[in-house]
Amino acid sequence: MNVYDSEQIAARLAALGYQQTGILEIADLVIVNTCTIRAKAEQKAFSFLGRLAGLKIKKPGLIIGVGGCVAQQEGEKILRRVPHIDLVFGTQAIDRLPLLIPKIEDKRCRIVDVALTEKSDQPAAFSDRRLDGSVSSFVTIMRGCDNFCTYCVVPHVRGRETSRHPDHILEEIRGLVQSGVKEVTLLGQNVNSYGKKEGLCSFPELLSCVNSIEGLLRIRFTTSHPKDFGSDLINALKTTEKVCDHIHLPVQSGSDRILKRMNRKYTRALYLDKIMELKDTCPGIAVTSDIIVGFPGETEADFNETMDLMKMVEFDGLFAFVYSDRPNAPAVQFKNKISEEKKIKRLQTLLELQENFTRMKNQAQVGSVQPILVEGISKKQSSGSVNRPQPTVQWTGRTSTNKIVNFFHNDNPQNCADIFPGKIVRTKIEKAYAHSLWGKPVEVKSASAGLKGEESYAA
Ligand code: SAM
Ligand code: SF4
């Protein structure tokens, strides 16, 4: 969501005449877009802001702004804590940047704008960013959250849930596709409740509209809340052709006692039922999740229930976090906090277990032929097989199940007409590693879109 917001910030600054640079030292304006979901993210933001002091001394005309969730949470306090900051703008102030920045340029004043009003649904701003040739793009479909999980800062810094109008979303995606994007990831804190408050279409209906956009090859979305995840979306996953075979369904804990204290509004049994229905309806679908360890009051028995749930589900991948207190989140007041030492130990135990499942799931792909959406030339271009043909380019892409696949192609980047970012390449998976797969293209020239059912007409 912050990546998307940063793109929106960049587009608004571009309209004011600013250009992006990768060199911090030559910038006239620096915007730091921050996250406060966990204590560590906030610490990182302040440490980076502190380091900008030297830059401002060297270049007193430099404007430094801080946006995002830390800005929303701390507001004016940031101006006192970090004297070289010129602008603090909250999560709903991005649209107001075209007014705020010229004011600072003219008057050299310091501004705080953290008003949290019901956000008007603005069409997205576009910049030149798409000229960078990226194949995949985020698209926010909802902002804020109404769920108030007891550990979470999001409803306090992003405001109440609002859904964007489908016309704006579709217009934005059509624009992205025109500039070369082949895959979109639709973003919301709980996509299952899309449109309900506003009386717009349902999320599966939105998926169906996005599916009909010509030139778009793949659709992903995140996040689904298990309490609202139902048969309608499960069926949409099966039948909506461009929707990828992957679902991120954060469980947070496997213990009913902890789920209740987290205010998650589902039980372990309900979660497992939904996973079973999902796997029955969509065989081969990849499932990933989020888990928090060390929530206040989490006993060894609670933690073991989480480990047990992981063994039952066998997630393809997992984002695991140690609990940290967040301002205004009710769990701050909860008793029986878990020591840092215990939290880290639990995290390690849990990650070790997950590592086995991730490897096992990757290993199960070996021998299969998968349509890969090529993203670009791999960062590890120089590593890999000793027998590689020369000259060789190492490409990287993803399966529909969101697994990274690297492969060689006997050509060089300047002369690579048959493989390029945005192309679907059918690739035989030859090796599985801890976090990626290794493959070999089996059919380059006639590769087609990675649609459901492709296997049935595979050569
Ligand atoms: N809306 C999503 C959901 O309900 O699952 C989650 C969004 S949150 C931005 C991403 C993840 O951060 C959560 O799923 C949770 O695992 C983790 N998280 C949130 N608050 C946390 C906290 N106080 N301490 C540790 N992890 C936290
Ligand atoms: Fe936070 Fe819960 Fe909302 Fe997700 S659903 S953003 S965890 S309050």
Side-chain angles (χ1 to χ4, degrees):
M1 208 157 266
N2 268 20
V3 171
Y4 180 84
D5 285 351
S6 294
E7 289 175 351
Q8 291 297 306
I9 292 169
R12 278 158 178 98
L13 296 177
L16 292 175
Y18 285 93
Q19 280 180 323
Q20 281 195 62
T21 172
I23 310 165
L24 192 58
E25 288 68 25
I26 67 165
D28 300 309
L29 168 74
V30 175
I31 299 286
V32 184
N33 193 15
T34 59
C35 170
T36 185
I37 192 74
R38 285 169 289 279
K40 208 168 170 186
E42 185 181 336
Q43 287 153 11
K44 271 187 178 169
F46 276 111
S47 132
F48 184 74
L49 289 172
R51 289 206 302 276
L52 293 177
L55 214 58
K56 184 94 168 190
I57 292 169
K58 280 192 207 143
K59 198 172 179 182
L62 175 70
I63 298 174
I64 303 179
V66 49
C69 293
V70 175
Q72 188 66 49
Q73 179 186 291
E74 299 296 303
E76 236 182 285
K77 281 190 260 169
I78 297 184
L79 293 189
R80 290 196 290 276
R81 181 168 168 183
V82 196
H84 50 276
I85 297 290
D86 303 286
L87 170 67
V88 177
F89 64 102
T91 50
Q92 295 185 4
I94 293 174
D95 297 337
R96 298 190 286 272
L97 281 176
L99 299 172
L100 300 173
I101 299 286
K103 241 189 225 172
I104 300 174
E105 286 170 338
D106 287 352
K107 303 194 176 128
R108 298 308 309 181
C109 52
R110 302 178 86 198
I111 299 179
V112 177
D113 180 350
V114 289
L116 213 50
T117 49
E118 281 298 297
K119 189 162 168 32
S120 61
D121 177 20
Q122 305 264 355
F126 285 98
S127 68
D128 292 346
R129 67 193 163 96
R130 291 298 146 208
L131 300 177
D132 69 2
S134 45
V135 160
S136 188
S137 185
F138 295 117
V139 175
T140 285
I141 62 165
M142 313 163 75
R143 297 174 198 273
C145 185
D146 287 348
N147 289 307
F148 292 94
C149 302
T150 54
Y151 51 80
C152 188
V153 75
V154 171
H156 309 284
V157 289
R158 292 252 173 196
R160 295 294 76 72
E161 181 186 287
T162 51
S163 298
R164 293 180 65 205
H165 195 280
D167 290 351
H168 289 167
I169 296 168
L170 296 172
E171 184 194 320
E172 181 174 347
I173 299 174
R174 280 190 208 103
L176 290 168
V177 170
Q178 264 174 19
S179 54
V181 164
K182 303 287 183 201
E183 173 186 91
V184 287
T185 303
L186 309 179
L187 300 175
Q189 296 299 349
N190 178 11
V191 294
N192 307 88
S193 60
Y194 173 82
K196 284 190 183 152
K197 263 163 85 172
E198 293 82 359
L200 302 169
C201 65
S202 68
F203 183 59
E205 283 164 348
L206 179 70
L207 284 177
S208 161
C209 295
V210 176
N211 191 65
S212 64
I213 294 178
E214 217 171 295
L216 183 71
L217 298 182
R218 285 183 171 179
I219 306 168
R220 301 185 186 277
F221 58 87
T222 194
T223 301
S224 277
H225 194 305
K227 80 178 163 68
D228 297 316
F229 180 69
S231 305
D232 57 344
L233 186 53
I234 293 178
N235 290 330
L237 275 160
K238 182 184 164 81
T239 56
T240 318
E241 121 188 283
K242 294 175 187 171
V243 172
C244 288
D245 297 326
H246 170 222
I247 182 102
H248 185 64
L249 199 61
V251 64
Q252 312 297 0
S253 169
S255 152
D256 279 342
R257 207 178 64 84
I258 296 296
L259 286 172
K260 194 150 197 252
R261 280 163 69 81
M262 287 177 163
N263 192 31
R264 287 293 285 178
K265 301 192 178 98
Y266 53 85
T267 59
R268 168 196 175 91
L270 192 79
Y271 185 89
L272 289 170
D273 279 354
K274 290 187 181 191
I275 292 286
M276 207 183 290
E277 182 184 344
L278 176 70
K279 288 190 174 178
D280 279 350
T281 313
C282 310
I285 195 163
V287 185
T288 55
S289 197
D290 291 352
I291 288 179
I292 297 177
V293 296
F295 187 75
E298 184 190 69
T299 62
E300 227 30 62
D302 293 318
F303 176 66
N304 287 334
E305 286 199 59
T306 299
M307 295 278 285
D308 183 64
L309 179 134
M310 285 171 63
K311 289 174 195 158
M312 292 174 83
V313 179
E314 298 183 349
F315 293 115
D316 287 71
L318 183 71
F319 298 92
F321 311 103
V322 291
Y323 167 81
S324 60
D325 274 344
R326 304 312 298 129
N328 300 315
V332 174
Q333 313 292 339
F334 289 7
K335 296 204 176 72
N336 302 325
K337 293 275 161 64
I338 311 298
S339 70
E340 284 306 308
E341 198 188 348
K342 202 176 260 181
K343 283 195 270 191
I344 299 291
K345 196 160 173 276
R346 284 182 186 168
L347 181 74
Q348 281 164 350
T349 311
L350 188 132
L351 288 177
E352 267 167 38
L353 176 67
Q354 180 55 40
E355 196 93 320
N356 298 333
F357 292 127
T358 309
R359 273 182 187 277
M360 189 181 88
K361 294 277 171 175
N362 283 353
Q363 191 61 42
Q365 305 296 313
V366 174
S368 69
V369 174
Q370 304 279 338
I372 307 301
L373 177 63
V374 179
E375 291 176 358
I377 292 173
S378 159
K379 284 186 196 136
K380 288 191 189 158
Q381 157 120 31
S382 56
S383 66
S385 158
V386 281
N387 299 322
R388 67 190 193 202
Q390 297 291 338
T392 298
V393 177
Q394 183 175 317
W395 293 89
T396 189
R398 271 168 211 267
T399 61
S400 172
T401 51
N402 209 26
K403 296 184 196 304
I404 295 170
V405 181
N406 296 308
F407 60 91
F408 284 136
H409 186 52
N410 187 12
D411 212 330
N412 68 52
Q414 284 77 37
N415 179 24
C416 218
D418 53 357
I419 289 190
F420 47 84
K423 174 153 182 149
I424 299 272
V425 175
R426 290 172 38 76
T427 304
K428 181 155 189 194
I429 306 302
E430 293 183 329
K431 286 183 203 155
Y433 299 109
H435 301 290
S436 65
L437 300 168
W438 183 261
K440 187 176 185 179
V442 290
E443 182 193 273
V444 174
K445 291 213 173 70
S446 61
S448 53
L451 308 180
K452 289 192 169 71
E454 184 176 1
E455 300 309 294
S456 59
Y457 58 85

